[in-house]
Amino acid sequence: MKCRHCETQLAHTFLDLGFAPPSNAYLTEADLCIPEKYYPLKIKVCEQCWLVQTEDYTQADELFQPDYAYFSSTSSSWLAHAARYAKEITELLGLDKTSLVIEVASNDGYLLKNFVAAGIPCLGIEPTESTAEAAQELGIPVMREFFGKALGQRLAASNQQANLIVGNNVYAHVPDINDFTKGLAAALRPGGTITLEFPHLLQLIKQAQFDTVYHEHFSYLSLFTVSRIFERAGLRVWHVEELPTHGGSLRIYGCHAEDLRKSTSTVSLLLDLEKKSGLQSLDTYLNFQPRAETIKNDLVEFLIQQKRAGKKVIAYGAAAKGNTLLNYAGVKPDLLPFVYDAAAAKQNKFMPGSHIPILAPEAIMTEMPEFVLILPWNIAEEVKQQLAPKLPTNTQFVTAVPHLTIT
Ligand SMILES: [Zn+2]
């Protein structure tokens, strides 16, 4: 397999999680009678551009179910994050009713509704029917398509170049990152700004966040690699911020290569930090697998101990990262009988692979668990605050990554 950015032959495996079903293929009761498809879940690293990427496998198209529905508005902390961003960027760029804001992967309108409220014209791009529909109901125009070079050029040709293009948690999920980036360049007005948020590879490595690996997540990105991809598409990163979201993300600010804005010192400082942290040395990547194994072993040991002690452990949050963790660890309902989740679309379904039933959070009270394993550790505090009043005072909360923690 060749690198998706620079086409160097990929020779090194960063992480091998065996085989797993697609992390968002939640199952109905009827699905449980049908064989489930498993795909290899292996991550490679490119020695030339240091792009960390999923290994190619056949039938990749099957992974993207048209009815897959994650509604961003489910998370109140994410909504607050989006509202804060909209306010800050509007002031920074001086956006007004003559501007155009395009969001790629606009989901259910969780972000663009803030621009609508401020009277700033916007356009969402979102191929998923159900979320696109929810956004349109909020008054947001949505194009139901995948974004890439061809769509970027069509937007330019129809006088719809943007002052601001936003991409939150989409950049790492696109299979052809070069084509997507060329699309950004084509759809950006001269003098315009691109902001992209994605989980930072540095945090994945530092905090052993191996459970953020799943098939639909094609790239694991550093500023170094993104700067190279931007450069090749005629763009430049001129500013970067570190964010706490998703266990540590970057928000990069991009512009056309010939833009007169000077790059801020944040860019060179972070590039230095990445280099000093070993993101451009092969050993860093080759030493990662044993850390994932330790986390897996500690979790399995904990679940078996509690089972033997007659204590009940249930899980909260049917997130993609939970599926990666549970399937890698081989956990089944005998050790973890239920997962509770606030998203109605997932309730009364089953986790892919592990087949653990997913229930509405209201049902958690009747279980009286001794332990609640929070699978989306990135929103652990929010979950604890919501659940604590509903549970017995002696209930303890558990997170597995970066190491088993019981509070
Ligand atoms: Zn490469």
Side-chain angles (χ1 to χ4, degrees):
M1 178 191 167
K2 288 183 174 165
C3 172
R4 290 201 187 95
H5 171 56
C6 74
E7 300 189 336
T8 299
Q9 194 69 36
L10 297 177
H12 302 285
T13 297
F14 167 51
L15 182 64
D16 185 351
L17 296 176
F19 290 78
S23 67
N24 286 308
Y26 295 92
L27 305 167
T28 62
E29 197 152 10
D31 293 332
L32 298 181
C33 309
I34 305 168
E36 205 175 356
K37 277 202 179 164
Y38 278 60
Y39 302 84
L41 189 47
K42 205 187 257 188
I43 305 294
K44 300 274 193 182
V45 60
C46 173
E47 264 180 286
Q48 271 304 313
C49 72
W50 302 104
L51 178 63
V52 174
Q53 51 201 296
T54 48
E55 190 178 52
D56 278 333
Y57 44 86
T58 54
Q59 300 171 317
D61 295 350
E62 285 185 9
L63 286 177
F64 299 98
Q65 307 288 338
D67 61 348
Y68 160 57
Y70 172 75
F71 284 75
S72 294
S73 296
T74 311
S75 165
S76 54
S77 60
W78 185 242
L79 280 176
H81 174 79
R84 218 165 29 240
Y85 164 82
K87 191 167 177 285
E88 285 169 10
I89 199 80
T90 299
E91 281 167 23
L92 180 73
L93 303 180
L95 300 173
D96 60 26
K97 62 181 189 321
T98 65
S99 312
L100 176 65
V101 177
I102 293 179
E103 186 185 15
V104 182
S106 52
N107 197 272
D108 58 8
Y110 74 99
L111 172 68
L112 289 181
K113 67 178 182 183
N114 297 291
F115 293 101
V116 169
I120 299 163
C122 60
L123 173 65
I125 295 166
E126 175 55 63
T128 309
E129 277 295 313
S130 52
T131 52
E133 212 163 280
Q136 281 177 323
E137 279 167 23
L138 298 173
I140 299 160
V142 181
M143 290 177 81
R144 299 181 185 200
E145 292 184 51
F146 284 99
F147 186 78
K149 188 180 165 193
L151 179 51
Q153 287 175 338
R154 259 166 48 220
L155 288 166
S158 63
N159 232 346
Q160 287 183 289
Q161 281 185 319
N163 300 70
L164 170 66
I165 305 178
V166 189
N168 286 341
N169 297 309
V170 58
Y171 204 43
H173 288 77
V174 294
D176 189 345
I177 200 162
N178 289 336
D179 182 77
F180 184 93
T181 312
K182 284 175 192 157
L184 295 175
L188 189 68
R189 222 175 261 194
T193 300
I194 298 162
T195 74
L196 299 178
E197 290 182 26
F198 49 82
H200 192 190
L201 175 65
L202 180 64
Q203 300 306 330
L204 186 158
I205 291 177
K206 262 188 168 169
Q207 301 180 54
Q209 298 164 347
F210 74 92
D211 56 344
T212 62
V213 167
Y214 46 90
H215 298 105
E216 301 91 323
H217 194 169
F218 283 90
S219 309
Y220 301 84
L221 300 162
S222 62
L223 178 61
F224 176 82
T225 303
V226 169
S227 299
R228 286 184 61 145
I229 299 170
F230 263 46
E231 230 168 82
R232 199 205 267 186
L235 297 168
R236 177 165 60 86
V237 178
W238 60 273
H239 184 64
V240 63
E241 290 166 1
E242 290 181 274
L243 306 172
T245 45
H246 294 280
S249 296
L250 294 185
R251 180 188 287 152
I252 58 142
Y253 293 71
C255 59
H256 288 292
E258 65 279 12
D259 194 286
L260 294 176
R261 270 174 287 190
K262 286 209 164 57
S263 297
T264 68
S265 59
T266 55
V267 177
S268 53
L269 286 171
L270 194 60
L271 287 172
D272 282 350
L273 176 68
E274 286 184 347
K275 188 148 199 232
K276 280 188 198 128
S277 305
L279 288 199
Q280 288 144 58
S281 68
L282 193 57
D283 281 350
T284 305
Y285 298 94
L286 300 183
N287 294 335
F288 190 73
Q289 179 86 26
R291 297 171 62 201
E293 287 171 12
T294 301
I295 292 169
K296 170 190 70 116
N297 294 344
D298 288 350
L299 174 66
V300 173
E301 199 172 18
F302 166 79
L303 292 173
I304 292 174
Q305 271 172 5
Q306 301 315 322
K307 170 106 178 170
R308 288 204 166 125
K311 304 231 167 119
K312 189 174 277 176
V313 188
I314 58 93
Y316 188 88
K321 54 171 74 68
N323 287 320
T324 295
L325 175 67
L326 298 178
N327 285 325
Y328 177 50
V331 173
K332 299 279 188 288
D334 59 322
L335 292 179
L336 200 60
F338 302 109
V339 178
Y340 297 86
D341 197 284
K346 292 177 184 169
Q347 289 163 6
N348 302 314
K349 290 193 174 164
F350 297 82
M351 301 278 270
S354 66
H355 296 186
I356 299 170
I358 305 165
L359 303 174
E362 293 70 42
I364 204 166
M365 285 169 284
T366 57
E367 281 300 318
M368 308 286 276
E370 273 93 358
F371 297 95
V372 177
L373 171 64
I374 303 174
L375 295 171
W377 40 257
N378 52 308
I379 53 163
E381 283 313 310
E382 184 182 338
V383 171
K384 278 185 209 172
Q385 281 171 20
Q386 280 170 9
L387 291 186
K390 300 175 185 169
L391 291 165
T393 48
N394 62 345
T395 306
Q396 291 185 289
F397 292 98
V398 183
T399 43
V401 178
H403 44 76
L404 195 79
T405 307
I406 303 169
T407 50

